[in-house]
Amino acid sequence: MRYRERLNAAYRAVGRVTASILILLGFIHLVPLLVLLPFPHESAAATAFIIPAVTGIILGLILWVLFRRADVTILTLRDGVLITFLVWTIACCLGAVPYHLQGLGWRNALFESVSGWSTTGLTVVDVTRASPLILFWRAFQQLLGGAGLILVMSSALAGPWATGLYQAEGHGEPLLPHIGRSTRAILGIYLGYTLLGVGAFLIAGLPLFESILHSMTALATGGFSTQPGSLGDFHSISVEGVAIVLMALGQLNFLLHFLILRGKWRTVLKHGEPRLFIGALLIAVPLLYFGAARSLWGMEWGIRRALFQAVSALSGTGFSIAPDAEWNSLGAAVIIGLMLIGGGVNSSAGALKQHRVYLILKSMVWQIRRFFLPRSAVFVRQIWKGEERVVLEAEHLQGVAGYVILYLFAWSMGSIILMGYGTGMQAALFEFASALGGVGLTVGVTRPDAPGGILWTEMIGMFLGRLEFFVVILALGKMIIDFREFARFGINPKAPPKLAQED
């Protein structure tokens, strides 16, 4: 009985927090209406955002009335996982409404929304015909999704439950002791870089609207563009240079940004992620250039293409300056490898993450070194974290290895499904690596008229990859187990929370 009482109280608390976030999510859908100031002739598109905004606010208010007396202090990390799953699912559905009301079918609208929130960048929207409000909404989704949708919400609704949500979304330990200060620090860094990016793109020659949108999607490592040919349509080496810098910043661990702004460059370079990022580029760029780009496009264009696409793939951004279907087999293999590695942990990037790949490589080195040491030697596994070295337990390395295996298995299964729809092996491996890693590079498999099975498979991959599998698995498992209990005794939204506080 005690377990049932606590479970009932926990779900009422989940309902209250979800209500607050839903209300904020509704107001977020009103932000694109600011675009009407420079584009007043686009007022007909306003309804597409007002409807989901009102829907989100009303649903949130209904939940708030039902669960307003719930005690949120009892929320645990498990409850945070459930809230994260629910909020991301609702956000993807609500975010699809503007696309649908602007002419996309529900499937394609949901695909675009999932791609936006997950900062993937695969698209089924014809940007040449899209309203400026839709173009802004795509970029704004990626900006918020890159920072972390839950992080943004918890910064506005700071409370005792915020730490659980912060960790459930995959942000790890807070930068600062206080969770509110930590989230504000992250958002301050993020928005500051975005504004600097806008200025840099303006200097590079882009119009203001294009500068704002591309700065948001570059720093979010999202890759949505206002041009059908992505940044390649601007034919500007200056624009490409600005994008490379923003993509590199976007994939960097927020903790390392914090150290950089405090002037601790030497400490940053001791971390494994920057070393892996630089090392991967030092290997990948020459391979792309000498193995593919030079023979296909010549020296100058080959160097630009090799460097830009390597950074775009490794950072998980997905910007392109030429069609990726033009790569030969070696070039495609290198790009796939970079997309699987991905960016840093606690950043806007996805995929395996550089920290995990670094630990796998480091474990191999440790294993070899230990083989040559005396049996009586004490061997300690240490890496840099923040401003100090920390000891890694065997359980942590086992968890990393397990996640890598799960990720590669999901990549294989998704690629096989794409092959089942007639996609070639190389194209299937490339496309699903892009979807699962939240990258957005494409060889032409993802398109508005693609078979439904391909788009649904990629949607699932984008969602799982953004929430790193375990959030989805644990949330679904928790709901299945808990609802079995609810089937026996039900949930009482008006029950007082005192029962959950007696222990």
Side-chain angles (χ1 to χ4, degrees), residues 8-17 63-75 161 492-498 501:
N8 200 319
Y11 268 87
R12 283 185 278 108
V14 167
R16 177 179 163 182
V17 174
L63 286 177
W64 177 261
V65 171
L66 289 174
F67 302 111
R68 65 187 182 278
R69 296 182 181 179
D71 179 13
V72 296
T73 61
I74 65 173
L75 289 175
W161 41 269
N492 182 5
K494 296 183 179 179
K498 295 180 180 180
Q501 300 176 339

Side-chain angles (χ1 to χ4, degrees), residues 45-176:
T47 306
F49 297 92
I50 294 175
I51 291 176
V54 173
T55 302
I57 293 171
I58 291 176
L59 288 176
L61 289 175
I62 292 173
L63 286 177
W64 177 261
V65 171
L66 289 174
F67 302 111
R68 65 187 182 278
R69 296 182 181 179
D71 179 13
V72 296
T73 61
I74 65 173
L75 289 175
T76 64
L77 179 59
R78 293 181 180 180
D79 301 319
V81 167
L82 179 57
I83 294 172
T84 299
F85 173 77
L86 292 175
V87 169
W88 273 89
T89 302
I90 295 170
C92 288
C93 294
L94 272 182
V97 176
Y99 299 116
H100 178 64
L101 295 179
Q102 285 291 293
L104 283 186
W106 271 115
R107 183 194 63 199
N108 286 13
L110 184 61
F111 182 93
E112 196 74 13
S113 181
V114 173
S115 183
W117 286 122
S118 65
T119 72
T120 301
L122 292 172
T123 182
V124 290
V125 167
D126 183 355
V127 295
T128 62
R129 298 182 178 182
S131 163
L133 275 73
I134 288 292
L135 295 178
F136 179 86
W137 177 237
R138 295 164 79 238
F140 193 57
Q141 277 185 305
Q142 293 199 327
L143 182 71
L144 297 182
L149 183 59
I150 294 297
L151 184 147
V152 174
M153 300 300 183
S154 62
S155 67
L157 299 170
W161 41 269
T163 301
L165 293 184
Y166 182 94
Q167 295 175 344
E169 200 178 32
H171 294 290
E173 296 181 2
L175 303 184
L176 300 171

Side-chain angles (χ1 to χ4, degrees), residues 263-327:
K264 300 190 177 184
W265 288 91
R266 291 185 179 180
T267 304
V268 171
L269 294 177
K270 291 177 182 179
H271 286 72
E273 289 177 310
R275 291 183 176 185
L276 181 61
F277 180 77
I278 295 171
L281 290 180
L282 290 176
I283 295 173
V285 173
L287 274 176
L288 287 172
Y289 175 67
F290 290 106
R294 184 177 64 170
S295 61
L296 291 172
W297 306 295
M299 182 177 177
E300 179 184 353
W301 182 241
I303 292 175
R304 286 172 58 183
R305 180 112 191 253
L307 176 60
F308 188 91
Q309 294 306 120
V311 176
S312 182
L314 184 57
S315 66
T317 307
F319 280 144
S320 181
I321 57 175
D324 287 286
E326 296 176 355
W327 288 108

Side-chain angles (χ1 to χ4, degrees), residues 133-217:
L133 275 73
I134 288 292
L135 295 178
F136 179 86
W137 177 237
R138 295 164 79 238
F140 193 57
Q141 277 185 305
Q142 293 199 327
L143 182 71
L144 297 182
L149 183 59
I150 294 297
L151 184 147
V152 174
M153 300 300 183
S154 62
S155 67
L157 299 170
W161 41 269
T163 301
L165 293 184
Y166 182 94
Q167 295 175 344
E169 200 178 32
H171 294 290
E173 296 181 2
L175 303 184
L176 300 171
H178 190 273
I179 187 66
R181 291 177 58 197
S182 184
T183 55
R184 287 192 292 271
I186 290 177
L187 294 177
I189 293 171
Y190 198 68
L191 294 177
Y193 282 142
T194 302
L195 294 176
L196 289 175
V198 173
F201 274 128
L202 284 171
I203 295 173
L206 289 187
L208 179 60
F209 186 67
E210 305 254 359
S211 297
I212 294 173
L213 267 56
H214 285 96
S215 180
M216 289 195 291
T217 57

